[in-house]
Amino acid sequence: MEAVLGDSRRIWRVRPHDEGVIDRLIRGANLPPVVAQLMASRGVADASTAKQFLNSKLTDLRDPSLLPGVSKATQLILDAARQSVPIVVYGDYDADGMTGSAILVNTLRLLGADVAYHVPNRLEDGYGLNQAAIERLAGRGKRMIISVDCGITSVSCATLCRKLGVSLIITDHHTFGTEIPDADAIVHPRLPGTTYPFGELCGAGVAFKLAWSLCQAECGQAKVTPPMRKLLMQCLSLAAIGTVADVVPLVDENRVLVTHGLRTLLERPLPGLWELLKQVGLDKRDRLAAEDIAFTLAPRLNAAGRLGQAQLAVELLTIERAADQAADVEPTSPSSDSSQSDRATMLAEYINGLNGTRETLQRSVQLAANKQARADFDPDGDPALVLAGVNWHAGVIGVVAGKLAEKYAKPVIVISMDNTGRADAVGSGRVGGTGIDLHAALAQCEERLVRFGGHKAAGGITIAENQIEAFRGDFCEAVAQQWADGDLVAELVIDAETTLGQLNLASLSAMETMAPFGAGNPRPVLIARGITLDTPAKTMGKGDRHMSVALRQGNRKIRAVAFGCGDWCDDLNGAAGPIEIAFRPVINDFNGFKSVEAHLIDWRLQSTPNEVRVDEGHSSRPVGSAVERPLKTTQRTE
């Protein structure tokens, strides 16, 4: 039986558990049973690995000199800085690119370099290095370009830089094309011919490693000066934002960057970030979670890029406080430069406002795209969806593609066509949790496209309008081939089965030790059966987009919410008999009162035991055996 999520189809798969591994983790790593079971289900099999995972240290970051290309780039950049060569940091317009750009700008300023920054306008310039922009920068006397989060496929731009006498340093993490650009240096964790052990750094993570290397090289030793150490700790907070925003796996070095970056974000924030934290109410928190970045900070930075204002976001992240580099300054201390402080406040207010505009545009495009999917295509039967509309705002089509990919559990590409028909259309694609390799599928359709880029989970295209129908057929065929060849199915992966009575503040506090949660280490998803509605489901939030409901299992009641699923209400209220729910348990802290809450991901009518897959393969076996026993906790709440 398949699980119904709105209009999508997914199979629920409960991760297998090894009782012996769980017991070893409890004894060897002194873990609470709930944490041991969750970690065992995610493949952690020994105590030392568990301890390293749960106790991320800054010393777990690899020396920056090990990152491919960083040593050569460091020397070239330092030489340019010492010779006052005009340098421009050329970033991408998403949160990863913005934060990575700010890292290098702030670092080069501290080193005394002649540095400026340039971020392309998403709506006019498109993604990545741009030949017209390079020519303009060269005309203004810039003699070194350092790319951030882009450039690895910019072969023609590298050739142009050679012709113009402009040094090009590429820092990127995206998938390579068939040819490597002829740049002066390339910093990339997966550079061909190299063996860096962790290839999942984002653009800001790569920029942080380069900034760290620059500071070490300037000092002539691994230990840097106090001002440089303070700068790097602030850069750590920027790297954390970029890492979470770019949805790279929160494991290995990324886990370290986010864990310590979240602390620095509150303890020693950059002036602009502090103003943004105040705008969204995060300045009063005792601690921040990765979700605070994913759902609050990153969308606001991305809103600036989506609406063509990325330059202002980078400016916010590079505003300096007088004496900030020389001594520690409390976050609440007023800036000695009132004009800088006023500018930071104004930018933070403006960027926060842009997010509201972005949400309105996104809702409009999402409604239109979803209507097209249901009216003109078969969202249940087609292997993928390619949706196109005139004047759909190009800044939000990626978010919409992501929402629909999750809704329909299949790859979705959303294309915005020019209202005059004279300019090429632009599109953005997402694969949701399907396991489809989007970049590979796009590569099979390359002859239909003007250009494309991205990675396995997300990508962008430029396409002539008269090629959209042919591309739709080719893309669906490429995705169908991956579904068949990989024997892939759209799944909802569940960590364990539980009862509502087992969910209490103690068990959830234990789960929180596994944070930061995100890609590669998602917040635990649990399944509970025999659930009934204690009160009817009702919509909530602006536009009735969300849903709230009180659920009951035996004597235990719990509040549940489902974000973006207001359309579930009628079906849920009309459900005949008990239901099963898949959800993420969270601690809701409202006015100082903490309670356990369920964030619903999916629900369905009560199934029979053999209707949930519990193994890594494709066979089924009954739930309720030892391998997927109910979640163990240290105590129960009646």
Side-chain angles (χ1 to χ4, degrees), residues 7-8 58 69 113 195 201 215 346 398 403 406 428 465 519 573 589:
D7 298 313
S8 75
L58 277 175
T195 57
L201 291 171
C215 290
M346 183 182 72
K403 296 288 186 182
E406 289 296 328
S428 191
E465 188 173 327
N573 289 332
D589 190 347

Side-chain angles (χ1 to χ4, degrees), residues 228-287:
M228 288 182 181
R229 175 175 172 76
K230 179 180 180 183
L231 169 84
L232 289 174
M233 292 303 293
Q234 291 178 323
C235 288
L236 201 62
S237 65
L238 292 170
I241 294 172
T243 299
V244 173
D246 215 49
V247 201
V248 289
L250 296 190
V251 297
D252 203 283
E253 291 191 290
N254 288 339
R255 183 174 174 82
V256 180
L257 291 172
V258 174
T259 298
H260 293 274
L262 287 170
R263 295 172 187 167
T264 305
L265 195 52
L266 280 182
E267 294 170 359
R268 193 177 295 172
L270 290 158
L273 271 179
W274 181 247
E275 292 300 324
L276 191 56
L277 287 171
K278 290 197 292 185
Q279 286 291 319
V280 298
L282 293 178
D283 58 311
K284 298 177 177 62
R285 295 281 188 88
D286 294 329
R287 58 185 293 274

Side-chain angles (χ1 to χ4, degrees), residues 588-599:
N588 182 25
D589 190 347
F590 182 71
N591 289 336
F593 177 76
K594 294 183 177 181
S595 60
V596 176
E597 187 173 273
H599 286 183

Side-chain angles (χ1 to χ4, degrees), residues 8 10 373 377-387 398 400-414 428-439 441-442 455-459 471-472 475-483 488-490:
S8 75
R10 296 188 185 194
F377 304 102
D378 180 4
D380 292 337
D382 291 338
L385 293 173
V386 177
L387 310 169
V400 172
K403 296 288 186 182
L404 295 183
E406 289 296 328
K407 178 181 179 67
Y408 292 117
K410 61 187 59 185
V412 174
I413 292 180
V414 179
S428 191
R430 301 291 188 271
V431 298
T434 61
I436 293 294
D437 185 334
L438 181 64
H439 190 271
L442 291 176
H455 46 81
K456 286 185 176 182
F471 167 73
R472 178 181 284 115
F475 181 73
C476 286
E477 184 177 339
V479 171
Q481 183 179 334
Q482 285 195 42
W483 284 119
L488 299 173
V489 292

